[in-house]
Amino acid sequence: MSQFDVTVIGSGPGGYVAAIRAAQLGFKTAIIEKYSTLGGTCLNVGCIPSKALLDSSEHFENAKHNFAGHGIIINEPQADIVRMIERKNEVIKQNTDGISYLMNKNKITVFEGVGSFESATQIKITKNDGSSEIIESKYTIIATGSKPSSLPFITLDKERVITSTEALNLKEIPKHLVVIGGGVIGLELGSVYLRLGAQVTVVEFMDKIIPGMDGALSKELTKVLKKQGMKFMLSTAVSAVERNGDTVKITAKDKKGEEVVVEGDYCLVSVGRKPYTDGLALEKAGVELDERGRVKVNDHLQTNVANIYAIGDVIKGAMLAHKAEEEGVFVAETLAGQKPHINYNLIPGVVYTWPEVAGVGKTEEQLKEEGVAYKVGSFPMRALGRSRASGDVDGLVKIIADEKTDEVLGMHIVGARAADLIAEGVIAMEFRASAEDIARSSHAHPTYAEAIKEAALDATAKRPIHM
C-alpha cells in the first residue's frame, strides 16, 4: 500500500495549490482527480473558459461597434461561435497541461479516479475501468469543490435548459437567451452572447443584480448593461420552466404578484452553486457536514476528524478560486507548523463583464447594518484622461473609510480593468492604510488607477483634483 504524508482529493485551484505548497514544504504528496484533466471546475468549465469566451466576444463587440471610432475601417465582422469554442478549448488545454507540468516538477503523485474514504487514514481510488487501489495518508485535504445548483421544479435537459457548463459549449448563438439569476455567472455568460447578437433577458428574484456586492456597483452595472441591450426582470420569482421543441417558456411572478411569461430558445439556470461531496464516503471517516451540505471545519480548516482538512467551495464562505487557493496554502503551512492567516474580509469579488466590477472589504450596506460611522469618496471613470482615450468611460471608484480614523474599510469599482485595480484596495486594507495614504501616493498618468487616488482624495477631504 502506497503511503503519503498529505493527500489532496480534488485538483481545482484549491487542491492543486495545496498539493504544490505541501510538496514545497517537504511532504510526500498525492493528489486524486476523477477526471482525465487536472484543474477542476475553474480551469475546465469555469473561470478560465468563461474568460476566454468573454475576451473573444469583447473583441467581436469592439470590431462591430468601436473600431470605426478609432479610425479602423473593416468589413462587417461575423461571429464564428465554433471557432470561439475551439479557442476556448485550446486555452483550457494550455492551462491544464500547465498544472500537470507543475505536478511533475514538484514530484506530486497524481491518481486518476474517484477518491473515497475507507477510514480516516485510508483512501480508496476507483478508476474509470472499475479497478481500484487503496493508499494510506497521514493527512487528507478535501478539495472537491462545487457544482451548479438548480431549482426543484426545473428539469435541466442540458440542451435548451442549461447550466454554465453547457453554456460554454453551445454550437450556435441563441436568438433569445433567458438567464435565471442575476449573479456573477449569469451576467458574465449573458454578456458573452449579448455581444454576439443574442437578445438576453435576466430574471432575478432579488430587487437588484449582484446582490452581494455594494449597492452602488449594482446600480451602475445595471445602467451600463441596459445601455448595452441586456433586459432585466427584477423582483421576479420563477415558478415554472417548460421546454417545447426549440422554445423554452419561463413563467414567473413579478413584485406585484402578477404572472409574467418570457420565452427564449435557451434558458441558462444560474442560481448559484452547491458543495460537491458525492462519492467521498465521508461517513466511513466520520467527517461531518453542516445543514447546507458543506464540510464542517474550524478556524484552522480542520474537520471534526483531526487529520482531515477541507478547503474551497466544499466549505463555508464565498465560492471563489482565489479563496480556495489561499486556503490550500493555509492548510499546508499549518501542517508544517507555521502560523499562516487569511483575512476573509479582504478576499476580493469580481464580475468579468465589461466594464468589470470588483469589490473588497465592507459594503456601505454592511456598515450601516453594523452601525459603523463611515465616510464615502467616489470618482467617475469618465473624468479620467485614460478612460476618454480608450473610450471606456463607464463606471466609478468608491472608497469607504472610517469616519474618525480614515482607515479604508471598503473599495468598490466598476470600470475598465477593475479586476486588476482592486488589488490596490486589498493591499491598502491588508496594511490598514487610510484614505489619505492612498491619496498621497503617486499614481502614474494617464491610468485607470488614478480614479482610486481621486476617490481617496474625495473620501479624505472632499478635494478630488479632476472633478
Side-chain angles (χ1 to χ4, degrees):
M1 185 185 298
S2 299
Q3 295 187 332
F4 298 91
D5 299 319
V6 176
T7 298
V8 182
I9 305 178
S11 70
Y16 82 71
V17 168
I20 291 171
R21 188 67 185 117
Q24 288 175 342
L25 291 165
F27 293 108
K28 184 182 179 183
T29 306
I31 192 164
I32 303 170
E33 173 55 57
K34 72 175 183 177
Y35 294 114
S36 58
T37 56
L38 303 177
T41 292
C42 179
L43 271 69
N44 289 279
V45 291
C47 325
I48 300 301
S50 63
K51 303 312 162 287
L53 287 180
L54 280 158
D55 281 341
S56 294
S57 63
E58 186 184 330
H59 287 313
F60 177 76
E61 171 82 4
N62 284 329
K64 193 171 180 68
H65 299 292
N66 301 327
F67 276 7
H70 287 273
I72 304 170
I73 308 303
I74 60 173
N75 293 329
E76 182 72 13
Q78 301 295 315
D80 184 347
I81 187 66
V82 173
R83 177 61 195 132
M84 287 184 183
I85 297 295
E86 286 175 354
R87 177 187 175 274
K88 179 263 298 180
N89 290 336
E90 291 164 4
V91 171
I92 292 172
K93 188 175 188 307
Q94 290 165 5
N95 281 273
T96 56
D97 285 352
I99 303 304
S100 296
Y101 165 78
L102 291 172
M103 296 300 103
N104 290 329
K105 177 189 174 186
N106 289 281
K107 298 179 173 58
I108 296 164
T109 302
V110 178
F111 293 98
E112 184 181 332
V114 176
S116 59
F117 288 99
E118 289 289 296
S119 69
T121 57
Q122 291 187 338
I123 303 167
K124 180 181 179 181
I125 302 161
T126 305
K127 301 175 183 177
N128 290 333
D129 62 7
S131 63
S132 65
E133 65 178 300
I134 295 176
I135 63 172
E136 184 100 22
S137 189
K138 183 177 180 182
Y139 298 106
T140 299
I141 303 173
I142 301 168
T144 47
S146 62
K147 62 180 180 180
S149 295
S150 185
L151 297 171
F153 52 83
I154 295 179
T155 300
L156 295 167
D157 62 23
K158 300 188 177 181
E159 293 176 353
R160 294 282 170 176
V161 184
I162 60 176
T163 69
S164 57
T165 301
E166 295 78 44
L168 292 167
N169 287 293
L170 294 184
K171 293 179 172 59
E172 64 177 358
I173 299 167
K175 296 179 182 67
H176 184 188
L177 175 65
V178 181
V179 180
I180 300 176
V184 178
I185 297 171
L187 295 179
E188 289 183 356
L189 291 174
S191 289
V192 167
Y193 291 108
L194 179 72
R195 295 167 186 166
L196 298 180
Q199 179 183 344
V200 177
T201 301
V202 177
V203 184
E204 169 57 47
F205 177 76
M206 302 291 284
D207 61 356
K208 61 182 180 178
I209 60 173
I210 51 171
M213 302 186 84
D214 190 273
L217 303 191
S218 174
K219 184 178 179 181
E220 182 71 9
L221 185 60
T222 301
K223 181 180 74 175
V224 172
L225 292 179
K226 279 184 176 180
K227 187 168 67 174
Q228 293 175 8
M230 193 174 288
K231 297 180 180 179
F232 295 96
M233 298 169 64
L234 304 178
S235 300
T236 303
V238 174
S239 55
V241 175
E242 304 166 278
R243 177 185 175 182
N244 182 13
D246 291 344
T247 301
V248 184
K249 175 183 173 183
I250 294 88
T251 305
K253 287 190 176 180
D254 63 18
K255 59 184 177 183
K256 297 178 182 177
E258 296 177 0
E259 185 173 281
V260 291
V261 174
V262 59
E263 291 185 348
D265 52 338
Y266 287 89
C267 176
L268 169 61
V269 180
S270 180
V271 293
R273 298 181 65 84
K274 58 185 177 182
Y276 185 74
T277 58
D278 295 1
L280 281 173
L282 295 175
E283 67 282 355
K284 290 186 178 180
V287 174
E288 296 177 354
L289 300 177
D290 67 14
E291 71 283 353
R292 294 175 60 181
R294 302 172 299 192
V295 178
K296 280 185 181 180
V297 293
N298 61 19
D299 291 341
H300 301 290
L301 304 182
Q302 183 182 41
T303 71
N304 60 299
V305 180
N307 69 307
I308 300 176
Y309 292 73
I311 62 173
D313 289 5
V314 82
I315 66 169
K316 63 185 178 182
M319 291 185 174
L320 297 168
H322 45 286
K323 177 233 186 207
E325 290 180 2
E326 296 296 328
E327 291 175 336
V329 170
F330 179 95
V331 171
E333 293 182 351
T334 297
L335 295 179
Q338 298 182 13
K339 303 293 182 184
H341 91 286
I342 300 174
N343 184 344
Y344 284 101
N345 182 51
L346 300 187
I347 302 288
V350 179
V351 188
Y352 293 89
T353 50
W354 195 262
E356 294 173 337
V357 184
V360 67
K362 298 290 188 179
T363 66
E364 190 169 353
E365 291 78 12
Q366 287 173 326
L367 292 173
K368 283 179 180 176
E369 189 175 321
E370 294 169 10
V372 176
Y374 64 89
K375 53 187 179 179
V376 176
S378 64
F379 190 81
M381 285 293 188
R382 68 175 52 252
L384 291 178
R386 181 70 180 88
S387 293
R388 289 195 293 270
S390 69
D392 296 302
V393 296
D394 290 319
L396 57 90
V397 173
K398 175 179 177 178
I399 291 177
I400 309 174
D402 187 279
E403 190 175 75
K404 294 180 180 178
T405 67
D406 198 40
E407 179 181 347
V408 178
L409 303 177
M411 184 180 292
H412 308 283
I413 308 171
V414 178
R417 303 301 169 205
D420 302 302
L421 295 175
I422 200 62
E424 181 171 344
V426 176
I427 294 297
M429 293 169 66
E430 188 68 61
F431 287 90
R432 301 193 68 175
S434 65
E436 185 178 1
D437 289 330
I438 296 175
R440 290 185 178 277
S441 300
S442 179
H443 287 61
H445 174 77
T447 59
Y448 301 118
E450 288 178 281
I452 295 175
K453 178 185 176 81
E454 294 274 7
L457 281 165
D458 191 39
T460 301
K462 295 297 175 189
R463 58 178 184 88
I465 300 298
H466 292 92
M467 183 176 67

